[in-house]
Amino acid sequence: MGDHNQPFLSVSGDPECAPVHDDSVVDDALHRPQGSSKSKLLLAVFSGIFVVCLILAGGYDKSGVIKIHQLEGGDEMGVGPIEMPAGSATTRPSLSRGKSAGVSEKANLSPQQLLGGGEGSGDGLSEDFPWNNSMLSWQRTAFHFQPEKNWMNDPNGPLFYKGWYHFFYQYNPNAAVWGDIVWGHAVSRDLIHWLHLPLAMVADQWYDVQGVWTGSATILPDGKVMMLYTGSTNESVQVQNLAYPADHDDPLLLDWVKHPGNPVLVPPPGIHHKDFRDPTTAWQTSEGKWRITIGSKVNKTGIALIYDTDDFVNFELKDGFLHGVPGTGMWECVDFYPVAVAGGDGLDTSANGAGVRHVVKASLDDDRHDYYAIGTYDEEAGKWYPDNPAIDVGIGIRYDYGIFYASKTFFDQSKQRRILWGWIGEWDSEAADVRKGWASLQGMPRTVVLDTKTGSNLLQWPVEESESLRLRSKEFKNVVAKPGAVVPIKLEAATQVCELEHWCFWRMQLDIVAELELDKEAVDRVVESDEEFKCSSSSSKGAAHRGALGPFGLLVLSEETLSEQTPVYFYVVKGKNATLRTYFCADQSRSSLANDVNKQIYGSSVPVLKGEKFRVRMLVDHSIIESFAQGGRSVITSRVYPTKAIYGAARLFLFNNATEAGVTASIKVWQMNSAFIRPFPNL
């Protein structure tokens, strides 16, 4: 324990990085019961001031409706007003959606359903938190793709066509819950700013009347587009259908024609009629045929069926399947694509041969996570073999260790790169989504390449266009955090307050890049340990669990007194022969005072190679935090729902909860602009 009469940190010449907590206080703050009397008093004072400001600004009318005003530019800022009766009640859904239809559970489950009422889910789960309009309005993101309202889930058929990036997605045009699924459609020049187009396909045929579900686009050598998608028939049979643009000369691809001979594929013998979905982008074989895979299962073995076709209408089922893994259950949204052994550019989906490896990815219906593995593709046999069976699909590496599902890649021929989209669901209550009028968003599009240093990992990184949103920045060099310290990273001068709205946004739309180093001499002194660490272990207590060499990292979307905080951090274990094993984690257990949201602890081990510093990049956009460790070797996406650490109350801290080693950090923080996302004009 430290000397309470002396600061634990002194950064010469930089008063903006002064310590505020010593090792005893940080441990207490990380364990602190939420809703202390002091916190309640501060919340009451803040709430009173906020209500007075609303009244003076005309933000509260006689009907009892609170109106959250937009920044100048209106919808461009992505925080449009929400109008709801003040204090209206919320209730959780009593019935789940999805499974009965033979698809993945798409409803937002209560914490009890998600966690079984286990540790980390909060207390008092039978009661709903009294959300107000200000809190709910804050949750809407500013630079992540979302429709204007209602429910969205899986990304569908992304492609680059005649100068436009096209993004299709599962969409409910009628409500903020799963159901009535059709295809939404938006276009962009840069993957950042989006224009909403009319619905691309609706459920208007017997073969898709119960849902126009997930599909993929294939661009033929002559430039024509073929779109295969799953439809749920009037008898709930999953079938594959073909659609194509009515006018291939139309760069916006506004109108789509469903093939008159649909469905083009039905479940083969031995496959259940509700276990046959999500066709991939096709790739060309050496014989000139087109080949696709479709997700399924046999008993508890997840499989990828494989088909060949000449015309996308007539298909031949190949013997066996591309790959399968026992015990992994239903494979949804299967993806299959090549990566260059040398790294660098992405590859067209049909690339094969020397210098090429192949990735198989599956979204597991049983646990709602996306797993991938790298291996070898045998075209003649129609088989794929993992490089390391111990980390095969579904039992090894995940794209993302947080909330990220039903992902899909496409080859961007304009920039020779492979881009990954992923659905980021809500982990609050469905009732809250209904109240705010929308649910779900898409992650920032990511480039995907092979990690040439490990050979077993992919590197995911936000597309370079994301940097165009960066505005002003602030840099903090060589910030020292001794064991037990929490250091504020002040993003504006101490005399400035959140009087203007752009200062509020400075604290909740951020791009953060940090490099951290442990004190080498301290690491050398630490004795070897046989500790079995796991980020999500109930015994770990998240960022409050103190080890010799961790945890250390950043507290984002934190309230001044740390009553709400979301730590994103590294944890290092020194094992036999002085080998260091590193874990990358995100702790949501203290992210919100609300008791009706999911607050899990995520993470996994991450390779940190000799000579590498601990590196992380974080995109913070209101209620989403995307964290990329070691250049994208490991990624964690978090959805957080703070009640106090919002608007101008949000803070950023460096913390070190290790017991034996100090940390030195260099941090650069950019304010991020809002993306322009609105309807296409004059349509």
Side-chain angles (χ1 to χ4, degrees):
M1 306 298 285
D3 181 355
H4 288 222
N5 296 317
Q6 298 294 328
F8 267 74
L9 176 63
S10 177
V11 181
S12 176
D14 190 355
E16 296 182 354
C17 291
V20 294
H21 302 291
D22 66 16
D23 60 353
S24 63
V25 179
V26 63
D27 195 40
D28 173 66
L30 291 168
H31 281 98
R32 181 184 298 139
Q34 298 176 343
S36 64
S37 58
K38 182 178 179 181
S39 298
K40 291 179 180 177
L41 177 60
L42 289 172
L43 179 60
V45 172
F46 177 82
S47 299
I49 295 173
F50 183 77
V51 170
V52 171
C53 292
L54 279 175
I55 294 172
L56 292 175
Y60 193 96
D61 65 19
K62 295 180 180 179
S63 65
V65 174
I66 299 175
K67 298 182 178 180
I68 307 302
H69 292 277
Q70 302 171 4
L71 293 180
E72 184 178 353
D75 289 343
E76 294 179 32
M77 311 312 294
V79 287
I82 298 176
E83 297 192 9
M84 295 164 290
S88 62
T90 61
T91 57
R92 288 198 191 89
S94 58
L95 297 176
S96 65
R97 296 174 173 83
K99 285 288 188 183
S100 62
V103 294
S104 176
E105 176 59 79
K106 302 294 186 183
N108 296 331
L109 306 181
S110 69
Q112 299 102 310
Q113 292 170 298
L114 286 163
L115 298 175
E119 184 171 344
S121 59
D123 297 324
L125 291 174
S126 61
E127 300 178 3
D128 290 308
F129 185 81
W131 296 99
N132 62 42
N133 295 3
S134 175
M135 298 171 184
L136 295 176
S137 180
W138 176 89
Q139 293 174 12
R140 189 168 177 90
T141 61
F143 56 84
H144 284 76
F145 179 81
Q146 293 180 259
E148 294 182 287
K149 61 181 180 179
N150 295 330
W151 170 273
M152 171 179 64
N153 53 280
D154 306 7
N156 295 155
L159 73 158
F160 181 80
Y161 189 77
K162 295 186 182 296
W164 290 95
Y165 290 100
H166 288 258
F167 183 69
F168 305 89
Y169 53 93
Q170 301 280 277
Y171 180 60
N172 181 353
N174 303 316
V177 298
W178 186 88
D180 302 332
I181 295 298
V182 299
W183 274 31
H185 185 193
V187 292
S188 172
R189 294 289 193 184
D190 60 3
L191 292 167
I192 301 297
H193 306 285
W194 291 90
L195 296 169
H196 294 296
L197 295 176
L199 298 178
M201 289 191 285
V202 298
D204 60 358
Q205 302 295 323
W206 69 266
Y207 50 78
D208 61 14
V209 70
Q210 295 199 53
V212 184
W213 291 348
T214 296
S216 301
T218 302
I219 302 177
L220 304 183
D222 62 3
K224 293 183 178 179
V225 178
M226 296 291 167
M227 193 76 77
L228 290 171
Y229 72 93
T230 298
S232 181
T233 74
N234 54 349
E235 296 183 346
S236 298
V237 177
Q238 294 173 12
V239 298
Q240 313 312 315
N241 305 304
L242 172 65
Y244 33 78
D247 180 4
H248 280 94
D249 292 327
D250 174 16
L252 297 181
L253 301 176
L254 288 175
D255 298 315
W256 289 81
V257 175
K258 296 177 182 178
H259 181 63
N262 280 339
V264 295
L265 278 171
V266 298
I271 298 298
H272 193 274
H273 66 277
K274 291 185 178 181
D275 296 332
F276 182 65
R277 55 186 179 269
D278 309 335
T280 63
T281 294
W283 67 95
Q284 213 162 12
T285 69
S286 58
E287 296 179 347
K289 293 180 179 292
W290 292 98
R291 183 167 285 179
I292 65 168
T293 67
I294 297 173
S296 188
K297 69 175 180 178
V298 175
N299 298 320
K300 274 294 187 178
T301 297
I303 63 172
L305 299 167
I306 190 165
Y307 289 87
D308 282 357
T309 182
D310 292 313
D311 55 10
F312 289 83
V313 175
N314 301 288
F315 289 82
E316 176 191 0
L317 175 63
K318 305 299 288 184
D319 291 338
F321 35 83
L322 179 70
H323 191 58
V325 179
T328 55
M330 177 66 196
W331 283 13
E332 296 192 295
C333 304
V334 173
D335 206 356
F336 177 78
Y337 57 90
V339 289
V341 172
D345 291 343
L347 298 176
D348 180 85
T349 308
S350 297
N352 198 8
V356 175
R357 310 296 281 171
H358 279 81
V359 176
V360 169
K361 165 261 167 181
S363 301
L364 299 196
D365 191 12
D366 286 355
D367 71 4
R368 297 175 71 180
H369 296 306
D370 283 16
Y371 295 81
Y372 73 85
I374 299 164
T376 301
Y377 169 53
D378 183 337
E379 179 191 295
E380 183 177 355
K383 301 288 185 182
W384 174 90
Y385 306 96
D387 289 345
N388 182 357
I391 51 173
D392 205 343
V393 180
I395 60 174
I397 304 174
R398 283 163 47 182
Y399 271 154
D400 192 300
Y401 288 86
I403 305 174
F404 187 90
Y405 192 65
S407 60
K408 186 172 293 296
T409 68
F410 76 101
F411 178 64
D412 175 11
Q413 70 273 26
S414 70
K415 291 193 174 183
Q416 299 297 301
R417 59 185 177 175
R418 182 158 292 274
I419 293 174
L420 170 68
W421 282 98
W423 167 43
I424 314 300
E426 302 288 337
W427 276 28
D428 58 354
S429 69
E430 188 174 87
D433 296 340
V434 171
R435 187 176 176 192
K436 67 192 180 188
W438 59 270
S440 302
L441 53 133
Q442 298 293 325
M444 178 65 69
R446 308 170 183 176
T447 56
V448 181
V449 297
L450 180 67
D451 183 353
T452 58
K453 293 181 179 179
T454 68
S456 59
N457 296 81
L458 296 174
L459 297 178
Q460 304 168 61
W461 201 248
V463 292
E464 61 184 2
E465 290 89 342
S466 65
E467 298 177 12
S468 69
L469 294 173
R470 289 173 171 174
L471 299 174
R472 60 193 180 123
S473 65
K474 201 160 189 178
E475 196 162 5
F476 307 83
K477 294 184 178 180
N478 299 319
V479 183
V480 177
K482 294 182 179 180
V486 172
V487 185
I489 305 300
K490 296 187 177 180
L491 301 180
E492 66 275 338
T495 57
Q496 293 169 326
V497 296
C498 192
E499 295 175 343
L500 300 175
E501 287 180 324
H502 74 270
W503 284 108
C504 296
F505 277 83
W506 177 224
R507 295 174 176 176
M508 56 191 176
Q509 292 173 206
L510 306 175
D511 188 349
I512 305 168
V513 174
E515 286 190 344
L516 306 99
E517 292 182 272
L518 284 168
D519 178 5
K520 187 177 184 304
E521 291 184 0
V523 172
D524 291 340
R525 290 195 302 267
V526 168
V527 298
E528 297 177 359
S529 168
D530 59 358
E531 178 182 5
E532 294 290 336
F533 181 81
K534 186 177 181 181
C535 296
S536 58
S537 171
S538 61
S539 63
S540 75
K541 300 180 182 178
H545 173 77
R546 303 193 68 181
L549 301 176
F552 57 91
L554 297 172
L555 305 179
V556 294
L557 294 179
S558 298
E559 187 266 339
E560 184 72 40
T561 67
L562 302 184
S563 64
E564 290 184 332
Q565 54 175 287
T566 301
V568 178
Y569 57 93
F570 295 94
Y571 188 97
V572 180
V573 175
K574 185 176 180 181
K576 293 182 179 179
N577 302 316
T579 57
L580 300 179
R581 185 169 177 82
T582 302
Y583 300 83
F584 180 57
C585 316
D587 179 359
Q588 295 181 189
S589 63
R590 302 162 190 85
S591 62
S592 176
L593 295 176
N595 53 8
D596 56 355
V597 301
N598 185 286
K599 291 183 278 189
Q600 283 187 272
I601 302 169
Y602 304 118
S604 71
S605 61
V606 58
V608 178
L609 307 183
K610 185 176 181 180
E612 291 184 346
K613 297 180 181 180
F614 302 99
R615 294 177 292 133
V616 63
R617 180 181 178 188
M618 304 171 66
L619 296 179
V620 182
D621 186 8
H622 297 251
S623 59
I624 181 174
I625 305 167
E626 293 182 277
S627 304
F628 302 80
Q630 302 310 111
R633 269 185 208 132
S634 184
V635 184
I636 302 174
T637 298
S638 305
R639 292 301 306 278
V640 295
Y641 306 91
T643 64
K644 297 172 64 177
I646 59 177
Y647 300 108
R651 298 288 187 270
L652 176 66
F653 297 90
L654 169 69
F655 83 98
N656 176 19
N657 211 21
T659 60
E660 301 296 331
V663 171
T664 301
S666 292
I667 305 167
K668 189 169 185 179
V669 185
W670 287 266
Q671 178 188 15
M672 294 288 274
N673 203 354
S674 299
F676 184 97
I677 304 175
R678 61 168 50 194
F680 200 100
N682 303 319
L683 281 181

